[in-house]
Amino acid sequence: MKGSLICVGTGMMLGAHISPICQSHIEHADVVFSLMASAITERWLAEKNNDVRSLQSFYQEGKNRNHSYNEMVNAIIDEVKAGKKVVAAFYGHPGVFACVAHRAIKIAHIEGFNAHMEPGISAESCLYADLSIDPGTYGCAHFEASQFLFYQRQIDTSAYLVLWQVGFTGDRSLTKFNTDKAYKQVLVDLLTTFYPDDHLVILYQAKVLPIETVRADKVPLHELASHKIYQHTTLVIPPTKKMLVNQVILDKLEGLGRKSNQPKLKLV
């Protein structure tokens, strides 16, 4: 029998966010590899299949995370090559901040195996619901926090800015599970070139267990580095400016509207 790979998302909250199709794939797999947010979630997953193998053991303090990811991919692909129906289950969405799934699927395709991804409810989806943010209202830009530091990004302060994995901010070695206050202060210093230092920002963490509460701490930007920031903490920065009207484009569209007898465009 030829092996196959399906990467599935279990959602953020234990047992509550997983889709029927993802659960079915887990239950009917020959082997399930798991990368969950907590030991409780791993135990819950182990009840769904007799052969569930955690990928957490590949992580080690001081070990380059890229090496860990490649070892995870190798473990997954070895079972696919052995002719097994393999499922790799990731908390949240398997394609969001989860390079293992993307790498494994790419290698499986190169090797000639069937492989695809099934989505899950991500931390981003929870963020919009928990913080009552509609990204369609002002727009929303997302960056990984260290990437935001390392590269010159163009920021629109009339839209939301969301920075992920703030706990790792500034780690160029890929060996740390968290960086200290000095690293996070570098991020604050950069952000204050775009935003007032007293601008209220949000430290967000989604619920993983039903008994937990959502973290949505509003703090002044200049105090950010002094607050507890974990691996799974997300920084949300609300807009500080109004959107600027592009009058040149509006005039062009109004001219097109007159030709087709459309009503004049009104902005909210």
Side-chain angles (χ1 to χ4, degrees):
M1 183 178 69
K2 190 172 184 179
S4 64
L5 171 64
I6 304 174
C7 293
V8 305
T10 61
M12 293 303 297
M13 191 185 301
L14 172 65
H17 287 170
I18 189 169
S19 69
I21 191 169
C22 287
Q23 182 158 324
S24 177
H25 285 312
I26 290 169
E27 292 171 348
H28 293 93
D30 294 324
V31 58
V32 177
F33 289 93
S34 74
L35 197 56
M36 297 291 107
S38 69
I40 295 175
T41 314
E42 287 196 336
R43 287 197 294 271
W44 172 84
L45 190 64
E47 296 174 356
K48 307 297 179 184
N49 189 289
N50 292 327
D51 191 356
V52 176
R53 308 176 192 179
S54 174
L55 294 170
Q56 287 289 350
S57 61
F58 291 103
Y59 284 126
Q60 291 179 15
E61 186 74 43
K63 180 181 178 181
N64 186 292
R65 287 194 295 279
N66 254 327
H67 294 165
S68 298
Y69 299 149
N70 288 334
E71 289 172 352
M72 294 177 192
V73 171
N74 289 337
I76 292 168
I77 294 299
D78 284 347
E79 294 301 317
V80 175
K81 289 180 177 179
K84 295 181 181 179
K85 183 163 61 175
V86 179
V87 166
F90 302 84
Y91 74 93
H93 191 298
V96 178
F97 290 96
C99 66
V100 173
H102 289 288
R103 293 180 188 181
I105 289 174
K106 182 178 180 179
I107 291 174
H109 285 161
I110 291 172
E111 297 285 346
F113 297 101
N114 290 326
H116 73 278
M117 183 182 293
E118 293 290 348
I121 293 178
S122 66
E124 178 188 359
S125 300
C126 295
L127 183 152
Y128 293 143
D130 293 334
L131 302 184
S132 297
I133 293 174
D134 181 350
T137 302
Y138 301 113
C140 194
H142 296 257
F143 299 99
E144 196 274 338
S146 291
Q147 185 191 85
F148 178 76
L149 279 180
F150 299 159
Y151 297 90
Q152 299 181 37
R153 312 309 299 253
Q154 298 299 313
I155 303 304
D156 179 1
T157 57
S158 68
Y160 281 92
L161 175 63
V162 181
L163 298 180
W164 298 91
Q165 298 184 330
V166 185
F168 297 128
T169 297
D171 175 28
R172 300 177 65 187
S173 68
L174 297 180
T175 61
K176 298 179 180 180
F177 290 148
N178 211 321
T179 51
D180 60 29
K181 181 179 177 179
Y183 284 81
K184 295 175 177 66
Q185 187 59 48
V186 174
L187 175 63
V188 172
D189 293 342
L190 176 59
L191 288 170
T192 53
T193 66
F194 299 101
Y195 300 93
D197 63 3
D198 61 350
H199 184 51
L200 289 180
V201 300
I202 304 168
L203 292 171
Y204 171 75
Q205 291 166 203
K207 290 196 297 184
V208 176
L209 301 175
I211 59 173
E212 294 179 340
T213 57
V214 171
R215 182 185 184 187
D217 297 339
K218 293 183 179 181
V219 302
L221 177 57
H222 65 89
E223 294 181 5
L224 177 64
S226 299
H227 288 261
K228 289 187 179 298
I229 298 176
Y230 305 99
Q231 295 179 35
H232 55 293
T233 303
T234 301
L235 177 62
V236 181
I237 305 179
T240 57
K241 297 179 181 179
K242 291 185 177 180
M243 294 183 289
L244 296 177
V245 172
N246 190 332
Q247 196 59 52
V248 172
I249 295 297
L250 291 180
D251 290 343
K252 184 179 292 186
L253 293 172
E254 187 175 345
L256 293 174
R258 283 197 299 268
K259 291 180 181 179
S260 58
N261 296 318
Q262 291 182 357
K264 186 176 180 179
L265 178 66
K266 293 183 179 180
L267 294 180
V268 177

